[in-house]
Amino acid sequence: MTLIIAIDGPAASGKGTLARRVAAHFSLPWLDTGLLYRAVARDVLANGAALDDVAAAEAAARAILAETLDDPALRGPKAGDAASIVAKIPEVRAALLDYQRAFAGQDGGAVLDGRDIGTVVCPGAHVKVFVTASDEARAQRRFLEHQGRGENISYDDLLTDIRQRDARDRGRSTAPMLAARDAMHLDTTELDANQAFDAMMTLIRTRLGSL
Ligand code: CDP
């Protein structure tokens, strides 16, 4: 059986943690597609180019290597903000599409999380979930994550970053952040990680039961 699960949603909505746990539950490989955009931004800057340099960003996207995605430098609001700038470039998105589709096409399937998985990357995914949470809950989660790593970033700066990034991701013309018409919705504002996972599994079972 092949099972492709698409999990989309805004920054810090909980989609990454949920995707990792869902993938483990079904023994499926997981791709955090945000890392691809973060890595493209990292490589553009390392090559001395500007983030809105289309040719440089497209070349970086075409040259992306899976083994460079496990990089602590890709975490954090600066990398996320830079990612959302290269993510607006249609040539970058096109260059990353093959990589993501090949990942999704593995035997047995895969779990992918991002902004456009249910709409563009895997429109035929068996399960699509769009995960949201209030701006404040998301900023608070990021704040605790950074604190846990001993990093000193203010809650207000994180809230500003999340709102700016959401606006950029929703407003872009190519593959904007959007729930697919056939996506199920999960609001995690009032849920802790375990409750969110339980709610997610209920949605997935409901969907699989109706297939
Ligand atoms: O972890 P967080 O939700 O903060 O961000 P991320 O998923 O790592 O994504 C970083 C940025 O990459 C987003 O703000 C988007 O601009 C971009 N992105 C995208 O455009 N499409 C995707 N499928 C995934 C990420």
Side-chain angles (χ1 to χ4, degrees):
M1 176 191 160
T2 297
L3 178 59
I4 298 176
I5 301 181
I7 302 179
D8 290 302
S13 53
K15 65 188 185 312
T17 309
L18 285 167
R20 178 172 47 76
R21 289 183 66 172
V22 166
H25 177 89
F26 289 105
S27 301
L28 288 172
W30 163 48
L31 180 63
D32 169 358
T33 64
L35 281 179
L36 300 173
Y37 294 91
R38 288 171 182 256
V40 169
R42 172 199 60 194
D43 296 348
V44 168
L45 294 174
N47 290 335
L51 291 170
D52 60 357
D53 180 330
V54 173
E58 182 182 3
R62 295 211 176 277
I64 209 79
L65 293 172
E67 48 284 14
T68 70
L69 299 178
D70 186 17
D71 173 0
L74 298 182
R75 289 199 302 236
K78 267 204 186 128
D81 192 60
S84 74
I85 295 174
V86 297
K88 287 201 304 187
I89 302 174
E91 289 83 350
V92 167
R93 305 201 72 86
L96 294 178
L97 208 49
D98 288 347
Y99 183 100
Q100 297 173 84
R101 290 210 173 128
F103 191 94
Q106 294 179 67
D107 279 349
V111 179
L112 289 85
D113 80 88
R115 303 288 187 291
D116 62 339
I117 309 303
T119 50
V120 174
V121 178
C122 303
H126 306 91
V127 176
K128 300 180 185 178
V129 184
F130 196 81
V131 184
T132 53
S134 72
D135 298 359
E136 292 77 11
R138 294 187 288 135
Q140 180 63 19
R141 278 178 202 160
R142 277 284 139 96
F143 177 71
L144 294 175
E145 273 172 36
H146 285 290
Q147 252 195 349
R149 292 201 291 263
E151 295 158 7
N152 197 12
I153 300 182
S154 83
Y155 167 87
D156 287 341
D157 286 351
L158 289 166
L159 185 59
T160 305
D161 168 70
I162 279 174
R163 287 182 168 154
Q164 263 173 8
R165 212 137 56 82
D166 281 0
R168 206 178 278 141
D169 289 345
R170 275 201 198 97
R172 69 178 173 234
S173 45
T174 307
M177 173 171 70
L178 188 71
R181 286 165 64 113
D182 53 350
M184 299 178 290
H185 290 255
L186 176 58
D187 183 338
T188 66
T189 305
E190 305 289 340
L191 307 179
D192 67 23
N194 287 333
Q195 291 169 327
F197 178 66
D198 290 345
M200 177 70 124
M201 287 305 298
T202 302
L203 289 179
I204 293 175
R205 285 196 195 97
T206 308
R207 176 81 184 116
L208 292 179
S210 67
L211 280 181

